[in-house]
């Protein structure tokens, strides 16, 4: 039980309260927030202490005598107003202060003991098993700053922050600004205090503290400016754990960083205002990255202990551009509340790809976007839990669930359509006006649209945003052929209501014919489709097309629906389409047809293995291989899956030897490893392949430690690697990555008692986020490889208590990792039992937390889709 006390003699433990939009708006209207000083004592971080000391001093004015601040603490130790003890009430998530002077300057001070985290939320603490060093970093979005210090934890309330951090003297300590002083305060105990310069106005969720013996690469200074006439020198720094420094490809990261600063300054007209630009790669991270200005944090998995492939470098470059975009969209101008989350995430996702394609070596980035990010959006947007891009967010718990494929990828795709609709010049002119008008402020959707209308010749953006930002479900486009023309027809059905809706599309139509066993575009037309259909005359002198592509160049957000003849042509010749983005659109159409049970998954997998060998874009190839493995895993019953997986693995191993690209060799090697888990009973040659990889030597390719551990997991899952051998490997490789891989390998072993022991450890042991995920993944590997029952019964009984006892981040990991999502249509009783448990849970727990019900409903929907697909092709 938490301890709550107060010098004022009044505090009580209240119920858990979530911050609602209504409460946030009322607080924002009544409080003028100026500055916040934060004091953190992290000097005990190397010990087994559970908590650290936190103090916030907030300077504000209010017209109310009662105000609450957000705080999740082990103990609230002191609350003062203007230096005097205050009367307050503390609950699990907030501290309410009474008897405040109104319309006067107030200095509100809250001192508390807050907990170190192992879940990636708040102040996360990690101990490196390789060298015993301790590392700290913060992660707050959307509302976890309150886990570290008392604050007004809502995006529209900005303050100028100053941090003072006490920590071990031999550590590196970072925050949003550079430190102005470092004082050794206890030489004997080796403790120092860092004081940082005060920030420009920032929301709480993008403040940051990073502390530990991080290795540092000085990236020099980027110098430049924007059209606002200012010039700036931006110091660049890169940080990671010491044990990872040998693998840190800093030169590539800095090259991309400089290209990003060049791109955004050339387009945004507002010079970077945050001083330095540090990028820190941190362990056990829940996200890809976080846009804390001047102190951007990244998932350290982006630093590969194997030589990174071009696809991996491209993915990391995209994230670097994405986070850098946030320095303007999100940090400089911030959504006032989470229902305008798209104003930063959709823009960063779009501009990351835009900038990468325009200003780096990754010129085919839009093809990667079409094959990867948009597939995430299409899938999410067809779920019964889908929502508009501009969603209604009633509280912060709902906000946490909307960091999804709609807000990110669908929003980015719709913005690509907006650029096509108004023109790139008008779009960037609108962005420049938006930044100038609202710098360091908080905005709503109407503010951006107003700036865009003023900078373009469009007066119909209100209708545009209603059609695109407030509707649900993907558009679908198809061509209906006639003698001398085709009708381009759109269909869009809201999956949550069944209602039909129409959207304006500015698109290109591609006309393809087969020539010399290649699918060649012979003509292209640009049209605007506003209604349900539009007649498009065939190009003069051309007819009898083999394929008509109604989203050539992927300008809009729409699933392309090919007819039966076009599907056959596409399966046979998709890899021969010359233009990368259009080729990716056709691949996307094929994948949509698989998910709609119009294309046999086996035919899709065959097409991937046939064409991906010649795919010129490594990132697209990686997406296609992942889709093929997903189809094998979920869209085929067990007996078909095992045969298809074994065939796929053999083809992948054969492709390793034939490929001349080191990157493609690694892609195929990883695919073969996964395929052999799915195959379940590999032959002697396949086992030998895995054993060679596990021993880090192969005549086929260079084997790094990550690939070796993937092979060890596979060997363990098929019963060919004993626990003692896993320990032997772990004694040689004591890294944090190896520790997690070893946990997954041990959990994957087919031994029944072992599986139950690891399952129980997830339920009964407080463990770090990545370790729990490793165990759940290992249990899944073992179940797939050996066709054993999982823990479906336990899962449905225990998911609600697990959710209630853990943070939403850990609860989400548990649902995603433990939900029994593999179903077999040939095993009727087992399939029906699983379907019953899934539906029964939803009917039984209709009052479960909304975030949990949403996840469970999404998993059930995917389960039903998998069963439909399998059933369709059982007799084929």
């Amino acid at each position: 039980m938490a301890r709550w006390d107060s010098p004022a003699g009044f505090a009580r433990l209240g119920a858990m309260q979530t911050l609602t939009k209504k409460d946030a708006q009322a607080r924002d209207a009544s409080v003028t927030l100026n500055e916040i000083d934060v004091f953190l004592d992290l000097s005990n971080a190397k010990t087994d202490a559970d908590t650290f000391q936190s103090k916030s001093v907030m300077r504000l004015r209010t017209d109310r005598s009662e105000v609450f601040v957000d705080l999740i603490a082990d103990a609230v130790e002191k609350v003062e107003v203007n230096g005097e003890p205050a009367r307050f009430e503390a609950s699990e998530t907030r501290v309410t202060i009474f008897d405040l002077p109104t319309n006067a300057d107030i200095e509100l001070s809250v001192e508390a003991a807050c907990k170190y985290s192992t879940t990636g939320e708040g102040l996360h603490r990690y101990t490196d098993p390789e060298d015993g060093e301790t590392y700290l970093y913060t992660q707050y979005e959307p509302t976890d700053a309150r886990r570290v210090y008392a604050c007004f934890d809502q995006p529209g309330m900005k303050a100028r922050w100053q941090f003072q951090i006490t920590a071990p003297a031999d550590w590196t300590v970072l925050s949003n600004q550079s430190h102005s002083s470092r004082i050794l305060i206890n030489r004997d105990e080796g403790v120092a205090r860092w004081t940082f310069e005060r920030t420009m106005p920032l929301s709480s969720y993008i403040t940051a503290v990073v502390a530990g013996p991080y290795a540092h690469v000085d990236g020099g200074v980027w110098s430049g400016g924007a059209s606002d006439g200012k010039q700036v020198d931006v110091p660049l720094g890169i940080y990671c754990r010491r044990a990872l420094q040998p693998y840190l490809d800093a030169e590539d990261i800095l090259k991309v960083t400089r290209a990003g600063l060049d791109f955004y300054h050339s387009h945004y007209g507002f010079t970077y205002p945050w001083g330095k630009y540090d990028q820190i790669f941190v362990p056990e991270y829940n996200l890809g990255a976080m846009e804390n200005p001047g102190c951007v944090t990244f998932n350290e998995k982006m630093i590969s202990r194997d030589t990174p492939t071009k696809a991996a470098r491209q993915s990391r470059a995209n994230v670097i551009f994405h986070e850098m975009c946030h320095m303007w969209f999100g940090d400089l101008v911030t959504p006032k509340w989470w229902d305008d989350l798209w104003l930063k995430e959709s823009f960063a996702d779009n501009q990351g790809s835009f900038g990468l394609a325009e200003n780096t070596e990754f010129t085919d980035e839009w093809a990667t976007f079409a094959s990867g990010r948009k597939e995430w959006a299409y899938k999410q947007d067809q779920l019964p839990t889908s929502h508009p891009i501009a969603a209604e967010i009633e509280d912060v718990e709902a906000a946490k669930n909307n960091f999804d494929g709609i807000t990110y990828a669908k929003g980015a795709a719709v913005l690509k359509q907006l650029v096509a609709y108004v023109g790139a010049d008008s779009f960037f002119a609108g962005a420049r006006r938006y930044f100038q008008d609202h710098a360091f402020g908080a905005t709503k959707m109407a503010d951006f649209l107003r700036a865009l209308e003023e900078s373009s010749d469009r007066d119909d953006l209100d209708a545009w945003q209603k059609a695109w930002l407030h509707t649900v479900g993907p558009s679908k486009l198809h061509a209906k052929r006639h003698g001398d023309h085709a009708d381009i027809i759109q269909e869009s059905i809201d999956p949550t209501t069944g209602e039909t809706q129409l959207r304006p599309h500015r698109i290109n139509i591609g006309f393809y014919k087969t020539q010399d066993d290649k699918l060649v575009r012979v003509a292209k037309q640009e049209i605007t489709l506003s209604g349900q259909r539009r007649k498009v005359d065939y190009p003069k002198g051309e007819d009898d097309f083999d394929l008509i592509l109604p989203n050539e160049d992927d300008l809009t957000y729409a699933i392309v629906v090919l007819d039966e003849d076009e599907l056959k042509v596409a399966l046979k010749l998709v890899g021969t389409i010359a233009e990368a983005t259009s080729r990716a659109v056709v691949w996307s159409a094929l994948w949509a047809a698989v998910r709609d049970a119009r294309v046999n998954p086996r035919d899709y997998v065959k097409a991937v293995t046939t064409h991906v060998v010649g795919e010129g874009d490594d990132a697209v190839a990686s997406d296609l291989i992942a889709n093929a493995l997903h189809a094998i895993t979920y869209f085929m019953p067990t007996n078909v899956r095992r045969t298809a997986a074994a065939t796929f693995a053999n083809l992948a191993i054969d492709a390793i030897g034939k490929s001349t690209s080191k990157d493609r060799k690694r892609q195929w090697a990883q695919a073969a490893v996964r395929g052999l888990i799915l195959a379940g009973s590999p032959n002697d040659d396949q086992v030998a392949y895995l054993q060679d990889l596990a021993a880090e030597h192969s005549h086929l390719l260079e084997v790094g430690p990550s690939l070796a551990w993937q092979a060890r997991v596979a060997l363990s899952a098929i019963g060919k690697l004993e626990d003692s051998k896993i320990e032997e490997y772990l004694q040689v490789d004591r890294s944090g990555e190896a520790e997690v891989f070893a946990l997954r390998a041990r959990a994957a072993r087919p031994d029944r008692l072992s599986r139950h022991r690891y399952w129980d450890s997830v339920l009964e042991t407080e463990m770090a986020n990545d370790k729990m995920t490793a165990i759940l993944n290992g249990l899944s590997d073992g179940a797939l490889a050996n066709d054993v029952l999982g823990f479906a019964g336990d899962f449905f009984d225990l998911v609600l208590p697990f959710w209630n006892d853990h943070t939403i981040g850990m609860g989400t990991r548990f649902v995603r990792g433990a939900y029994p999502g593999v179903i077999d249509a040939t095993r009727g009783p087992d399939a029906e039992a699983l379907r019953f448990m899934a539906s029964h849970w939803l009917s039984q727990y209709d009052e479960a937390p909304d975030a949990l019900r949403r996840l469970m409903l999404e998993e059930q929907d995917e389960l039903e889709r998998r069963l439909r697909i399998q059933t369709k092709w059982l007799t084929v």
Side-chain angles (χ1 to χ4, degrees):
M1 177 63 68
R3 177 175 63 87
W4 307 93
D5 49 35
S6 165
F10 181 75
R12 66 180 174 83
L13 183 64
M16 175 70 77
Q17 293 172 284
T18 184
L19 179 62
T20 66
K21 179 180 179 179
K22 181 179 179 181
D23 286 347
Q25 289 174 331
R27 182 167 65 172
D28 190 12
S30 65
V31 174
T32 301
L33 182 60
N34 298 315
E35 296 178 343
I36 300 181
D37 296 346
V38 174
F39 305 84
L40 300 180
D41 185 350
L42 311 178
S43 58
N44 66 354
K46 294 182 180 181
T47 72
D48 59 0
D50 291 330
T51 63
F52 57 91
Q53 291 302 117
S54 168
K55 178 181 178 181
S56 293
V57 179
M58 293 156 275
R59 300 181 186 91
L60 56 105
R61 294 174 69 91
T62 179
D63 60 9
R64 296 187 179 184
S65 61
E66 176 184 324
V67 168
F68 70 90
V69 295
D70 303 296
L71 178 65
I72 297 175
D74 209 43
V76 178
E77 296 176 342
K78 184 187 294 186
V79 178
E80 293 183 341
V81 173
N82 295 333
E84 297 295 328
R87 187 168 71 91
F88 71 93
E89 176 182 316
S91 72
E92 291 184 20
T93 59
R94 62 178 58 171
V95 178
T96 303
I97 303 94
F98 305 98
D99 307 325
L100 291 169
T102 58
N103 301 312
D105 292 338
I106 295 173
E107 185 173 274
L108 171 62
S109 173
V110 178
E111 297 182 34
C114 295
K115 290 185 72 71
Y116 290 110
S117 167
T118 58
T119 68
E121 301 147 302
L123 181 61
H124 187 89
R125 178 168 59 178
Y126 173 82
T127 300
D128 191 331
E130 192 167 3
D131 56 19
E133 297 285 5
T134 298
Y135 294 88
L136 306 175
Y137 64 87
T138 57
Q139 173 56 41
Y140 297 149
E141 191 174 35
T143 181
D144 284 323
R146 59 183 176 164
R147 295 181 184 274
V148 184
Y149 31 79
C151 59
F152 296 87
D153 212 358
Q154 61 189 79
M157 295 189 70
K158 293 189 171 186
R160 299 183 71 240
W161 300 72
Q162 184 173 56
F163 288 87
Q164 188 178 99
I165 311 298
T166 301
D170 58 347
W171 276 13
T172 293
V173 180
L174 304 169
S175 188
N176 301 93
Q177 290 291 298
S178 300
H179 67 266
S180 55
S181 68
R182 176 189 175 280
I183 302 171
L184 188 64
I185 61 174
N186 190 320
R187 186 177 300 276
D188 292 338
E189 295 183 9
V191 176
R193 179 173 296 139
W194 286 257
T195 301
F196 292 85
E197 296 173 0
R198 192 170 296 280
T199 71
M200 298 296 284
L202 285 181
S203 306
S204 57
Y205 77 92
I206 45 177
T207 58
V209 174
V210 175
Y214 286 90
H216 173 225
V217 174
D218 185 343
V221 173
W222 179 90
S223 298
S227 58
D228 58 3
K230 299 177 182 178
Q231 292 291 312
V232 65
D233 292 332
V234 182
L236 306 178
I238 302 175
Y239 298 81
C240 69
R241 285 187 293 120
R242 286 179 180 173
L244 271 183
Q245 187 175 19
Y247 310 101
L248 177 64
D249 43 344
E251 183 177 343
D252 184 67
I253 294 169
L254 288 168
K255 178 182 176 182
V256 172
T257 301
R258 293 177 181 276
L261 287 168
D262 289 341
F263 172 80
Y264 291 119
H265 280 86
S266 69
H267 288 290
Y268 282 1
F270 198 106
T271 301
Y272 179 78
W274 306 113
K276 66 185 178 69
Y277 198 79
D278 287 336
Q279 297 174 100
I280 307 98
F281 293 83
V282 298
E284 294 182 337
Y285 204 45
N286 286 336
L287 310 175
M290 185 64 207
E291 66 265 21
N292 316 305
C295 192
V296 185
T297 43
F298 292 83
N299 194 318
E300 70 174 21
K301 292 175 184 175
M302 295 181 193
I303 302 173
S304 175
R305 295 199 304 152
D306 297 353
T307 303
T309 63
K310 183 180 179 181
R313 291 193 301 107
Q314 181 174 344
S315 176
R316 182 178 63 198
N318 180 280
V319 177
I320 291 172
F321 265 67
H322 177 115
E323 303 308 322
M324 190 178 290
C325 173
H326 278 312
M327 301 300 112
W328 289 267
F329 280 110
D331 295 357
L332 178 66
V333 185
T334 308
K336 198 168 186 67
W337 181 246
W338 297 111
D339 42 14
D340 278 317
L341 177 62
W342 80 282
L343 271 177
K344 69 186 193 74
E345 295 303 345
S346 297
F347 282 80
D349 231 38
N350 172 275
Q351 293 289 278
S353 291
F354 197 117
L356 220 60
E358 179 176 300
N359 216 41
T360 72
E361 66 183 285
F362 305 113
T363 54
D364 284 339
E365 168 63 18
W366 282 121
T368 308
F369 180 81
S371 71
R373 297 295 278 185
K374 282 186 79 172
E375 293 303 336
W376 178 30
Y378 290 146
K379 176 182 176 181
Q380 187 92 46
D381 210 12
Q382 295 177 83
L383 292 170
T385 58
S386 187
H387 57 85
I389 295 170
E392 278 292 322
I393 304 296
E394 295 303 323
D395 57 46
V396 294
E397 298 305 314
K400 290 179 180 179
N401 262 13
N402 271 29
F403 289 81
D404 60 11
I406 304 299
T407 303
Y408 282 72
K410 179 181 179 179
V414 168
L415 285 175
K416 188 178 183 184
Q417 171 62 192
L418 179 60
V419 173
Y421 197 67
V422 304
D425 290 344
S426 294
F427 177 84
F428 285 115
R432 290 190 288 272
R433 181 183 291 270
Y434 178 66
F435 298 138
Q436 293 294 337
D437 290 349
H438 302 287
F440 304 107
T443 59
K444 297 182 178 180
M445 173 175 57
D447 297 311
F448 177 76
L449 293 177
R450 187 180 306 112
L452 189 57
E453 282 189 336
E454 292 171 355
S455 302
S456 69
D457 59 357
R458 307 296 308 213
D459 59 3
D460 57 351
L461 291 185
D462 184 62
W464 183 92
Q465 63 93 11
K466 288 177 180 177
W468 277 108
L469 303 181
H470 294 279
T471 55
V472 178
S475 296
K476 293 186 177 182
L477 299 177
H478 71 276
K480 184 174 179 61
R481 300 165 187 248
H482 301 280
D484 59 353
H485 71 278
D487 287 337
I488 305 302
I489 301 172
Q490 71 159 310
E491 173 189 311
S492 180
I493 298 176
D494 185 330
T496 66
T497 66
E499 295 179 358
T500 299
Q501 56 211 356
L502 298 177
R503 298 171 176 137
H505 297 269
R506 186 76 172 267
I507 53 178
N508 292 332
I509 311 300
F511 298 88
Y512 287 80
K513 286 188 173 183
T514 302
Q515 297 178 358
D516 299 326
D517 292 325
K518 294 181 180 180
L519 204 51
V520 178
R521 189 181 71 196
V522 295
K524 181 168 76 170
Q525 291 188 26
E526 179 182 324
I527 69 166
T528 298
L529 174 64
S530 299
Q532 185 177 14
R533 65 179 60 212
R534 174 166 173 174
K535 177 183 176 182
V536 177
D537 292 328
Y538 290 151
K540 188 173 182 179
E542 298 282 357
D543 57 13
D544 194 25
F545 301 102
D546 292 302
L547 187 147
I548 299 176
L549 187 60
N551 191 19
E552 182 79 11
D553 304 318
D554 198 36
L555 296 181
T556 196
Y557 175 73
I559 295 173
V560 171
V561 179
L562 302 178
D563 65 29
E564 296 303 315
D565 291 335
E566 289 174 326
L567 287 172
K568 293 175 183 177
V569 171
L571 286 167
K572 182 180 178 182
L573 297 174
V574 57
T576 66
I577 297 173
E579 205 280 320
T581 300
S582 295
R583 188 168 65 245
V585 172
V586 176
W587 275 116
S588 176
L590 288 171
W591 183 238
V594 171
R595 288 180 52 80
D596 287 342
R598 296 181 61 234
V599 164
N600 192 319
R602 284 172 283 177
D603 293 336
Y604 178 86
V605 172
K606 181 180 178 181
V608 170
T609 56
T610 299
H611 295 294
V612 82
V613 174
E615 173 58 53
D617 188 297
D618 283 344
V620 171
S622 181
D623 290 333
L624 296 176
I625 291 170
N627 283 349
L629 287 167
H630 184 90
I632 293 170
T633 305
Y634 296 110
F635 298 161
M636 301 179 188
T638 304
N639 59 331
V640 178
R641 182 184 74 223
R642 289 189 176 283
T643 301
T647 301
F648 183 84
N650 284 336
L651 289 169
I653 294 170
D654 186 55
I656 299 170
K658 292 179 178 179
S659 177
T660 58
S661 163
K662 290 183 178 180
D663 285 359
R664 196 59 60 84
K665 283 177 179 288
R666 283 194 292 275
Q667 286 180 331
W668 282 122
Q670 292 167 353
V673 169
R674 187 64 190 167
L676 291 175
I677 289 177
L678 299 175
S681 299
N683 60 39
D684 291 345
D685 289 341
Q686 292 168 333
V687 172
Y689 163 77
L690 291 174
Q691 290 172 334
D692 285 347
L693 294 185
E696 296 190 53
H697 63 74
S698 171
H699 68 281
L700 296 172
L701 77 164
E702 176 186 322
V703 182
S706 293
L707 179 57
W709 273 109
Q710 291 172 50
R712 293 162 192 167
V713 170
L715 285 168
S716 182
I718 63 176
K720 299 294 184 180
L721 190 68
E722 296 298 323
D723 191 74
S724 59
K725 189 63 177 179
I726 297 173
E727 181 61 28
E728 184 179 319
Y729 285 129
L730 195 56
Q731 289 301 319
V732 175
D733 182 359
R734 300 297 301 178
S735 67
E737 296 82 359
E739 181 182 49
V740 173
F741 270 123
L743 200 54
R744 179 170 181 168
R746 285 169 166 154
R749 295 181 65 224
D751 175 73
R752 181 175 179 274
L753 292 178
S754 174
R755 287 176 57 78
H756 277 276
R757 184 169 65 253
Y758 278 102
W759 173 249
D760 290 343
S761 73
V762 168
L763 300 173
E764 299 169 2
T765 308
E766 185 175 334
M767 63 178 63
N769 48 5
D770 276 2
K771 292 178 180 177
M772 184 183 79
T773 297
I775 290 175
L776 293 175
N777 287 341
L779 291 171
S780 175
D781 294 335
L784 284 166
N786 298 281
D787 191 23
V788 300
L789 292 175
F791 298 93
D794 281 359
F795 172 80
F796 287 107
D797 286 342
L798 299 173
V799 63
L800 180 57
F802 186 96
W803 184 275
N804 289 335
D805 290 343
H806 293 78
T807 67
I808 191 171
M810 294 296 279
T812 300
R813 281 178 179 249
F814 180 71
V815 175
R816 294 299 193 206
Y819 194 97
V822 177
I823 195 166
D824 189 333
T826 65
R827 298 174 180 176
D830 289 344
E832 287 306 309
L834 182 53
R835 294 178 70 201
F836 172 79
M837 285 187 283
S839 61
H840 179 70
W841 189 95
L842 288 165
S843 62
Q844 183 179 15
Y845 297 109
D846 57 343
E847 295 186 1
D850 289 344
L852 173 59
R853 281 190 57 83
R854 172 176 167 170
L855 292 172
M856 296 292 283
L857 189 58
E858 290 174 354
E859 293 291 344
Q860 183 209 32
D861 190 78
E862 280 296 300
L863 191 72
E864 293 293 333
R865 180 182 293 271
R866 293 161 188 170
L867 185 62
R868 287 196 302 273
I869 294 170
Q870 289 185 29
T871 302
K872 170 68 179 290
W873 304 108
L874 277 180
T875 59
V876 178

